């Protein structure tokens, strides 16, 4: 390559120069209070499908009135920059944490409401997605028929049977979202639908939720135009009200609530997870770093030392899911929560 032509910097998308980072020292946004809840939900309309969706969820909860039901949120929420959305800000999440966790909850007898980013990974089908482990690579053709390559029969049969069981027993309800607004309206409505289950309801909030958004009254209707010669796009975003404490205090009284804390800077992970627990007074924060989220997490809970859960190098090499270690530890805590709440385990 000519010396004067510099190859573009080989930068991973998730790294950036520190001096460009936003000032993390700005005061934290306080937890949402009642007026914030009314302001947000009164001024940002619910998705038009919400009533139908919640009717289905109420039927699901009623069907499982004597079971343990977990609401797993998964995938990233988007912040549209135009009402007729062409551009949006996205939050990183492939949906692996949520989809894999949902499988282990199902295998432990939970009914699962899977509130997920549309088109992100789903329980069971995640094993053969369009990109990783493309399902077409597991097929073969013989006498004009499509066959599964014998090498993969056993593994695929195991996944297929679990998927079919979940469907036949009505154990898995898949509910999509895309935007932060759809997510928040749906989360609040589902929380109310789950109230009859009291302590047998579990919230496992693995979705990557936006912290800033463009309120409806400030969002342009059509695609933002870029002028010839270039013009800056200056965005004025509001903080997304911190609804976790509304969930704990009002929307889902009695349920066990677990949130995830995502950081990229290991030096602040524990303090931020502890801060979330103190601010929201829920039962467990599972902290994880973007870079190591598939091999280690840390449990931060009241009146207990922090507990690191890690895959050994051997387990990692064998392709063991860290969720196979996380979920049993969560189930133990949920059983204790039900006992302490006076429910029958
Ligand atoms: C997203 C990942 C890392 C999984 O990745 P994939 O397997 O690729 O899907 C998940 O483990 C996670 O940390 N999820 C939570 C991420 C998140 O946004 N957490 C929020 C807190 S919970 S969102 C609640 C809301 N912001 C509020 O405070 O009320 C945070 O860290 O600030």
């Amino acid at each position: 390559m000519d010396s004067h032509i510099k190859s573009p910097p080989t930068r991973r998308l998730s790294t950036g120069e520190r001096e460009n980072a936003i000032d993390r020292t700005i005061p934290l946004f306080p937890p949402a209070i009642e007026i914030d809840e009314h302001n947000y939900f009164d001024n940002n309309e619910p998705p038009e499908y919400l009533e139908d969706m919640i009717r289905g969820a109420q039927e699901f909860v009623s069907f499982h009135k004597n079971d343990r039901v977990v609401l797993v949120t998964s995938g990233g929420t988007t912040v549209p920059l135009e009402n007729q959305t062409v551009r949006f800000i996205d939050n990183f999440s492939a949906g692996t944490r949520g989809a894999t966790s949902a499988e282990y909850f199902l295998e432990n007898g939970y009914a699962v409401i899977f509130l997920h980013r549309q088109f992100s990974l789903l329980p069971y089908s995640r094993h053969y997605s369009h990109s990783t482990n493309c399902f077409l690579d597991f097929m073969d053709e013989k006498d004009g028929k499509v066959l599964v390559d014998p090498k993969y029969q056993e593994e695929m049969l195991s996944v297929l049977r679990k998927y079919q069981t979940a469907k036949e027993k009505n154990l898995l309800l898949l509910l999509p979202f895309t935007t932060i607004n759809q997510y928040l309206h749906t989360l609040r409505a589902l929380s109310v639908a789950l109230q009859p289950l009291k302590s047998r309801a579990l919230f496992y909030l693995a979705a990557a939720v936006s912290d800033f958004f463009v309120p409806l009254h400030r969002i342009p209707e059509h695609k933002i135009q870029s002028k010839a010669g270039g013009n800056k796009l200056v965005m004025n975003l509001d903080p997304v009200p911190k609804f976790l404490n509304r969930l704990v205090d009002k929307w889902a009284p009695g349920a066990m609530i677990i949130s995830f804390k995502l950081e990229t800077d290991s030096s602040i992970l524990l303090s931020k997870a502890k801060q979330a627990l103190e601010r929201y007074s829920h039962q467990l924060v599972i902290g994880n770093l973007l870079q190591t989220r598939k091999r280690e997490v840390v449990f931060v809970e009241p009146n207990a030392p922090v507990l690191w859960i890690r895959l050994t190098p051997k387990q990692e090499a064998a392709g063991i899911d860290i969720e196979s270690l996380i979920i049993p530890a969560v189930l133990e805590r949920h059983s204790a929560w039900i006992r302490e709440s006076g429910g029958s385990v």
Side-chain angles (χ1 to χ4, degrees), residues 60 63-64 103 106-111 124 157-173:
F60 186 82
F63 183 84
H64 292 288
E103 289 180 24
L106 287 162
E107 284 174 34
N108 282 279
Y110 278 68
Y124 304 120
L157 197 55
S158 159
V159 172
L160 177 64
R161 283 177 174 154
K162 289 173 188 170
Y163 169 70
Q164 288 173 336
T165 302
K167 275 204 313 185
E168 284 151 17
K169 295 187 175 177
N170 186 28
L171 285 169
L172 177 58
L173 179 62

Side-chain angles (χ1 to χ4, degrees), residues 75 91-98 205-211 241-244 259-262 280 288 290 293-294:
N91 267 49
F92 170 82
S93 171
T96 310
R97 177 79 81 224
L205 303 174
V209 180
S210 319
D211 283 321
K242 296 289 183 187
F243 282 117
L244 217 40
S259 71
F260 277 76
K261 173 51 72 181
L262 172 60
Y280 302 119
N288 57 174
L290 186 67
R293 69 187 188 280
K294 292 183 185 284

